[in-house]
Amino acid sequence: MPSPLPPRVRTAIRLHGVVQGVGMRPSVYRLASALELGGMVRNELGSVWIEVEGPQDRVSAFVRDLPGSLALPARVDELEASPLAPLGEDRFVIAETLTGAATAPPAAIPADLGPCDACLRELEDPDGRRHRHPFINCTSCGPRYTVVRSLPYGRERTAMRPFTLCDPCAREFEDPADRRFHAEPSSCPTCGPRLSFVHSVSDERAFGEEALSAAAKALRSGAIVAVKGAGGFVLACDATRDEAVAKLRERKHRPHKPFAVMGRDLAALEAVALLDDDERSSLRSPERPIVLCRKRDGSPLSSRVAPALGDVGVFLPPTPLQHLLLADGPPLQVMTSGNRGGAPIARTNDEALAALHGIADAFLLHDREIEVRADDSVVRMIGRERAPIRRARGFVPDSIRLPVDGPPLLAVGAGEKNTVCLAGGGRAWLSPHLGDLDHPDVLEVFREAIARLSRFAGIQPTAVVHDLHPDLRSTRWARESGLPCIPVQHHHAHVASCLAEHGRTGPVLGVAFDGTGLGTDGTMWGGEILLADLQRCERIAHLRPLPLAGGEAAIRQPWRLALAALLDAGESVNRLKWVGPRLEPARRILEHGSPPLATGAGRWLDGVASLCRLREEITYEGQAATELESAASSCPPQPAFAFDFTGTRIDLRPAIRELVRELDRGVGVPVLAARFHATLAAAIHVACRRARDEGGPSVVALTGGCFQNRRLSDEATAHLESDGFEVLHHRLVPANDGGISLGQAAIGSRLLAERPPGRSD
């Protein structure tokens, strides 16, 4: 008598996370087919729905193996399984997307990803039908977030809607066994999109392959070309030609701020930067970020690319169009944001032709729209971990899990390096880097980002969290929104952002070192040791404040900070006589006026940089401090200068006196720069050890823009860890103000979880 067939079961599975537009359905189909299961899979508004039927052991194996069978960038955040009545199905199918109403939030949209190896091989295959197709992609790579118009994710709701698939592409698109199955931006030379080229001076025009050739030729001749990138336009020129880089600086009114360099391949980047294995891995990652790496001496790179700095930002082409442009044109090209001073990057062809007229000599355009702006992301390896400097293309809109689950809210971030954040259901969604809200066009992009995040995350906020400073444009917007408002102190938000990305609620010793942020006492903070959690924050120590002669002028002219440091330390100001006739009026302000005070570590770094004659005035934020770090980078570890720690104040006057004596002895600037970094690191250690001895926690969060400084971060970490502290660094959001909105959201979520929202200002 034959053995009875094993009983059949049917299980329903709902997946939440990055589950649409990433080859999820074909992956599910292949796993179910391999296990000989029946059922179906379909996209829904907020998730992927699966039903599998067959013997219990195979269904159990499917549920167990599914998360591990998915290829990047797919990610399952939640898997819900429940039993169903068997239907007797032996065949597994991919069903039509369900587009009706749903109560769940929309499924996460994947970020844009750089071209995968398979697509690059096709791109270079002369026998393939996508040979040199500038828009090649598959389910593992290509544009996603920047082309989506609405949800659920589907071709008809993206910028690809105008481009009808040709028959071969349509067959791939419908074939579950093909890697382009429902790759929504899929196309070929027959389908489009198509390139066009226009020269601003000669009015030369070209299309298709000829457009690419014309752009490459222009770059080789020393021209500046505006190129339509993934999330907006970039300005390109030959990075090895001094005259081309100088022309770009002059036209963009950017005298010193470093440019990023895109290389044809890793070998091209190795010629200009000293890369370690971690940096190579980051460069090759699907996000294709700009990676800040140490410059290589004697490289072919123009000295004007990153003047006075020891690092250079390098990256590999994030789009196949740029890959081809690097292959045909110069192998090293400056690729910098396509905008004018502080404005958002140009998004449409018309915007670029108008805004970049007079900067670009030529334009390489195409007819696929960019739905949302996203700058290139920037990272730096700190302590062998990837630390974001600017979080945008390749990382956004991936959500971050919060350690608390509060009501839906909006956090509007800081005034500079602004991002906004929507939180709800225990997750947070950050916008791309938006910029400085004082620029009216950036303020409009800020409003657009809030509306887009709300629509895509499916969240209507019940409250808005903002900075304590009343004059920030983000604060004003929050107070005019009509929603209940929650003010959060700037440095508390910094610490909370670091806690949130590590899934912590505190308490923690938060070392928040940056330029300036309004403190709870009405003064400007920025060199803070805080005892904080996601609800409360206590200032337990801080750097001695420096008076800002001329207010904001002291930030633009760090010699004023050097003057303040000298006077405060009782030293002669004659060593600043190179400042000229401006010196005496500034001295009178400091000695007889009432200038504002600031404890910012960034201000101390700026002042020391000017004392060392590195920088008299700055043309971009953080320039003096960055050049001081670069000076220190060539020097081995050095002993700290002396400092005092009395009460809650870390007094750096002894360090300034000792630095002056060393200058008089002729000690080199690299040694002095290294010693001042060592002083700040030692002061952090002493303050944290005292706090722990008095009952504080043994966990330290290093946050604020100063901890993008590799030397300061590494030395402070080494001191703390050798003394038994656990040290938290930023790995998901920037330590600078780009991470503020996440910290605001975490604090707001914790507060609202304990009480209903109500206006607090």
Side-chain angles (χ1 to χ4, degrees), residues 105 132 171 190 250 492 500 525 644 656:
R132 293 182 60 81
R171 286 193 293 272
T190 302
E250 180 183 359
H492 187 194
W525 292 5
D644 291 331
I656 296 299

Side-chain angles (χ1 to χ4, degrees), residues 115 120 123-124 262 264 317-328:
L120 288 178
L123 186 71
E124 297 166 359
M262 188 180 295
R264 180 179 293 174
T319 69
L321 172 58
Q322 289 165 306
H323 180 89
L324 292 169
L325 195 60
L326 269 292
D328 295 357

Side-chain angles (χ1 to χ4, degrees), residues 545-736:
L546 275 176
L548 306 182
E552 289 289 325
I555 298 173
R556 298 188 300 272
Q557 299 173 335
W559 65 264
R560 295 173 180 266
L561 297 166
L563 174 63
L566 287 173
L567 286 172
D568 193 38
E571 292 291 325
S572 170
V573 300
N574 288 336
R575 66 180 54 258
L576 295 180
K577 59 186 178 182
W578 48 268
V579 171
R582 298 173 296 174
L583 185 62
E584 195 55 36
R587 177 176 181 168
R588 286 197 296 269
I589 291 173
L590 290 169
E591 291 182 333
H592 306 295
S594 299
L597 301 175
T599 63
R603 302 289 79 87
W604 279 99
L605 289 163
D606 290 348
V608 169
S610 195
L611 274 178
C612 293
R613 294 292 302 272
L614 290 173
R615 181 59 50 186
E616 178 181 347
E617 298 190 10
I618 65 169
T619 61
Y620 65 90
E621 184 190 5
Q623 181 179 8
T626 302
E627 291 179 0
L628 189 71
E629 180 194 359
S630 292
S633 66
S634 63
C635 192
Q638 297 292 318
F641 291 125
F643 62 91
D644 291 331
F645 187 15
T646 305
T648 62
R649 182 170 292 187
I650 300 167
D651 188 347
L652 295 176
R653 288 178 298 178
I656 296 299
R657 297 183 193 111
E658 193 173 351
L659 186 148
V660 167
R661 300 289 87 75
E662 296 290 81
L663 277 170
D664 289 341
R665 290 179 51 235
V667 175
V669 169
V671 171
L672 300 179
R675 292 195 66 185
F676 192 72
H677 281 80
T679 304
L680 290 179
I684 290 167
H685 177 214
V686 169
C688 289
R689 185 172 58 194
R690 179 182 294 183
R692 185 180 61 184
D693 290 345
E694 294 174 355
S698 59
V699 181
V700 177
L702 300 181
T703 187
C706 290
F707 286 107
Q708 293 171 171
N709 179 317
R710 183 188 288 123
R711 186 162 193 126
L712 177 60
S713 182
D714 286 349
E715 292 201 15
T717 299
H719 277 300
L720 292 165
E721 288 184 341
S722 68
D723 199 12
F725 285 95
E726 179 187 4
V727 182
L728 306 180
H729 303 90
H730 285 274
R731 297 293 178 254
L732 299 180
V733 299
N736 63 37

Side-chain angles (χ1 to χ4, degrees), residues 115 117 120 123-124 132 212-213 215-217 219-220 236-240 260-273 275 283-284 288 300-301 313-335:
D117 290 343
L120 288 178
L123 186 71
E124 297 166 359
R132 293 182 60 81
L212 188 60
S213 297
K217 179 181 177 182
L219 287 166
R220 290 195 301 270
C237 72
D238 187 340
T240 66
V261 175
M262 188 180 295
R264 180 179 293 174
D265 49 30
L266 269 180
L269 296 182
E270 296 271 12
V272 301
L275 305 178
L283 288 165
R284 287 191 297 250
R288 293 291 197 278
L301 205 62
V314 296
F315 62 138
L316 292 172
T319 69
L321 172 58
Q322 289 165 306
H323 180 89
L324 292 169
L325 195 60
L326 269 292
D328 295 357
L332 292 164
Q333 296 176 25
V334 166
M335 288 271 181

